[in-house]
């Protein structure tokens, strides 16, 4: 598996997501349309958190995220009664674009030595960083679809 290509896909996908939502107000980013349980902001932050958990935490490495951010945007959470403030949104967008570059650098440095096997909610078993990076791209594609749907409703 060519990890450089996988990380390139991750980087380009994230640039696309931010381009698609660049003209939305913070109110729109926080808007939860009828029939949905989350919003654009939660989806973007969730992708930041998930990539860090799949690639770093399961490799036994520290994430760059606060525990509060992880707790707020990890799998199974929802933005109930919570709106992202401008400062937090700016931080999320910065992490969204910068963390793939950190992943690339760390991978090239060989920091991913061990991995705790994990079976995802779609029954894909991750047993190493290469599979985690590839699966993360699949996960990002799912949430790109959600963001595209949310855009039509806000």
């Amino acid at each position: 598996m060519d990890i450089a290509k996988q990380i390139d896909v991750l980087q380009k996908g994230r640039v696309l997501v931010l381009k698609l939502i660049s003209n939305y107000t913070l109110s729109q980013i926080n808007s939860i349309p009828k029939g949905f349980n989350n919003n654009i902001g939660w989806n973007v932050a969730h992708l930041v958190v998930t990539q860090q958990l799949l690639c770093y935490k399961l490799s036994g490495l520290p994430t760059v995220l606060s525990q509060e951010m992880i707790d707020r945007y990890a799998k199974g959470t929802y933005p109930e009664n919570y709106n992202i403030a401008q400062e937090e949104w700016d931080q999320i967008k910065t992490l969204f674009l910068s963390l793939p570059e950190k992943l690339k650098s760390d991978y090239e440095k060989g920091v991913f030595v061990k991995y705790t096997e994990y079976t995802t909610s779609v029954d894909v078993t991750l047993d190493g960083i290469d599979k985690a990076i590839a699966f993360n791209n699949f996960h990002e594609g799912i949430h790109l679809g959600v963001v595209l749907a949310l855009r039509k409703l806000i």
Side-chain angles (χ1 to χ4, degrees), residues 105-117:
S105 174
D106 287 344
Y107 188 90
E108 289 169 352
K109 290 178 195 169
V111 304
F112 299 102
V113 177
K114 63 179 186 166
Y115 198 86
T116 302
E117 189 173 285

Side-chain angles (χ1 to χ4, degrees), residues 7-52:
I7 294 173
D8 185 58
V9 167
L10 175 61
Q11 291 171 313
K12 288 179 177 166
R14 287 188 172 194
V15 167
L16 172 64
V17 168
L18 289 187
K19 181 180 176 185
L20 290 170
I21 62 173
S22 63
N23 293 324
Y24 287 82
T25 65
L26 191 59
S27 177
Q28 289 172 309
I29 294 297
N30 281 304
S31 176
I32 303 173
K34 186 175 181 168
F36 283 78
N37 60 9
N38 58 45
N39 53 39
I40 290 172
W42 180 90
N43 276 275
V44 173
H46 172 71
L47 292 176
V48 169
V49 167
T50 300
Q51 182 266 326
Q52 286 286 290

